[in-house]
Amino acid sequence: MNLDAALKAAEKTASTVVGTSTLPCAEHRTGLLVLVYRTDTQEMLGQVQVSLSGRAIRLIPPVYDPHRNKAMQPKGRVLRYAVNDMTAATQGDGVARFLPLDAGAYTVTVDGLSAVDDLLLNPGAREQSVILNTCPVCLVPVKVGARPEFLLQWKHDAAGVSGVELMLGDAHPLAQATGTSGLAGWSGEPLVPGPYPLALRFAGGGKFQLYSATGQLLDAAPVLDIPAGRFRFHFQVQQLGQLKLAVQLQQPDGTMAPIDRPHVTVQWPPSASPKEWVLDQGVSEDIPLVNGPQTALTLDALELEDDGAPEVFEFIALNP
């Protein structure tokens, strides 16, 4: 049953309640129908628990006393009382029926949505007033949330990247780090679809570059537009390393003095063009390890900064 048909049926039931005399009290033709449906398909949601809380009013009619004259007959009274967690389950038509029901101001809440579909977002509380001799229909639309998955694979061999902790925004950490396949999924309450910054923390620290599934370099903390449903985000990961080279110059007295800014020419991978760096304190800039931890770096040339004086150097040894 779609939303239009269910609403028409509920309104027909409501009009019947107001006009009937079969309720416990002929004057008490009052009730409330709560119709719960999902917004994506307009389908009714059955087997959902609906609760009412609030303040109710009951009119208690007088009881005729034949031993008193008309002027001395007791008068009716109004009873005001609190309602706490009055419950009813929705049926196959998505309607929870509170029949009969005293007039009052109620708060309507819905529970048990995860048993129907763990993608459904809790719609929160709704305020509903019920006037004597009416039977309103309270519509409760339920939106669909998001349960994203994240697949992280090494860029050089497509193996899963394990042990990565993920955080969505400032308050949504994933309960589990990525497993051996590189996969991790959201397991908490469904998320509200929308943009979320993604932060990653790799096991053992170190620096990494993040790429899209098609190989496009991404920001270190990309903002993901997470849609409703079970969408899988696929990333490629490339580790970064550094070339650390300690160059020492032997002094005339035999002591060794460090060279802080040696010029080096390196080649990696073998098919790439040579790259020239000035190593600040003997450390290079970040180097993408295109072949993973086994990435080989070939040192083609080593030069020292020119201080203007004619000098001749002899290469003594290279200690890897």
Side-chain angles (χ1 to χ4, degrees):
M1 182 181 293
N2 60 27
L3 177 59
D4 290 339
L7 183 56
K8 288 180 182 179
E11 290 173 344
K12 182 177 181 180
T13 300
S15 64
T16 303
V17 170
V18 175
T20 188
S21 60
T22 59
L23 294 175
C25 173
E27 288 77 19
H28 195 155
R29 300 169 185 175
T30 307
L32 174 63
L33 304 180
V34 180
L35 192 156
V36 185
Y37 68 99
R38 55 188 300 161
T39 58
D40 60 336
T41 62
Q42 304 284 291
E43 293 178 354
M44 304 302 103
L45 294 174
Q47 303 305 312
V48 173
Q49 196 78 4
V50 179
S51 299
L52 297 184
S53 298
R55 301 288 299 178
I57 300 175
R58 177 175 297 176
L59 301 180
I60 301 178
V63 178
Y64 178 74
D65 188 346
H67 301 291
R68 296 184 182 185
N69 59 36
K70 185 176 181 180
M72 298 299 293
Q73 288 293 329
K75 301 182 181 302
R77 59 192 179 93
V78 176
L79 175 65
R80 293 179 171 85
Y81 64 97
V83 175
N84 295 308
D85 295 328
M86 180 187 296
T87 60
T90 59
Q91 305 302 309
D93 57 359
V95 178
R97 294 164 170 79
F98 295 90
L99 302 172
L101 181 70
D102 288 326
Y106 296 98
T107 299
V108 181
T109 57
V110 173
D111 197 13
L113 291 170
S114 60
V116 178
D117 187 341
D118 66 356
L119 282 173
L120 297 178
L121 292 166
N122 192 303
R126 310 178 80 83
E127 302 301 322
Q128 178 67 53
S129 61
V130 178
I131 301 173
L132 187 65
N133 291 336
T134 68
C135 185
V137 179
C138 177
L139 294 179
V140 181
V142 179
K143 295 182 178 180
V144 177
R147 289 190 175 277
E149 292 183 333
F150 303 90
L151 177 62
L152 275 66
Q153 293 179 313
W154 290 116
K155 192 172 186 292
H156 65 279
D157 64 1
V161 184
S162 62
V164 181
E165 298 177 358
L166 298 95
M167 170 82 76
L168 293 172
D170 297 327
H172 300 92
L174 270 68
Q176 301 289 335
T178 56
T180 55
S181 65
L183 187 64
W186 179 258
S187 59
E189 292 295 319
L191 297 171
V192 176
Y196 290 84
L198 174 66
L200 301 97
R201 186 169 65 181
F202 291 84
K207 294 183 178 181
F208 299 84
Q209 285 179 328
L210 195 64
Y211 293 81
S212 69
T214 58
Q216 180 183 359
L217 181 62
L218 304 175
D219 293 335
V223 177
L224 306 180
D225 190 9
I226 297 180
R230 306 179 192 275
F231 187 81
R232 176 175 292 185
F233 292 90
H234 183 191
F235 299 103
Q236 296 179 343
V237 178
Q238 187 165 260
Q239 190 174 4
L240 297 176
Q242 289 178 319
L243 171 63
K244 296 182 180 180
L245 189 64
V247 180
Q248 294 181 321
L249 181 63
Q250 189 174 39
Q251 303 296 315
D253 61 0
T255 61
M256 306 297 288
I259 302 298
D260 292 336
R261 293 174 57 82
H263 293 238
V264 298
T265 301
V266 298
Q267 179 141 5
W268 103 99
S271 60
S273 300
K275 295 176 173 59
E276 297 183 1
W277 286 320
V278 176
L279 303 186
D280 189 11
Q281 300 296 321
V283 179
S284 75
E285 62 187 50
D286 290 332
I287 302 171
L289 303 183
V290 294
N291 295 324
Q294 306 304 319
T295 299
L297 222 101
T298 303
L299 181 61
D300 287 348
L302 169 64
E303 300 177 7
L304 306 182
E305 289 188 335
D306 187 3
D307 58 5
E311 296 170 314
V312 177
F313 298 97
E314 178 186 0
F315 181 75
I316 300 176
L318 175 64
N319 297 316

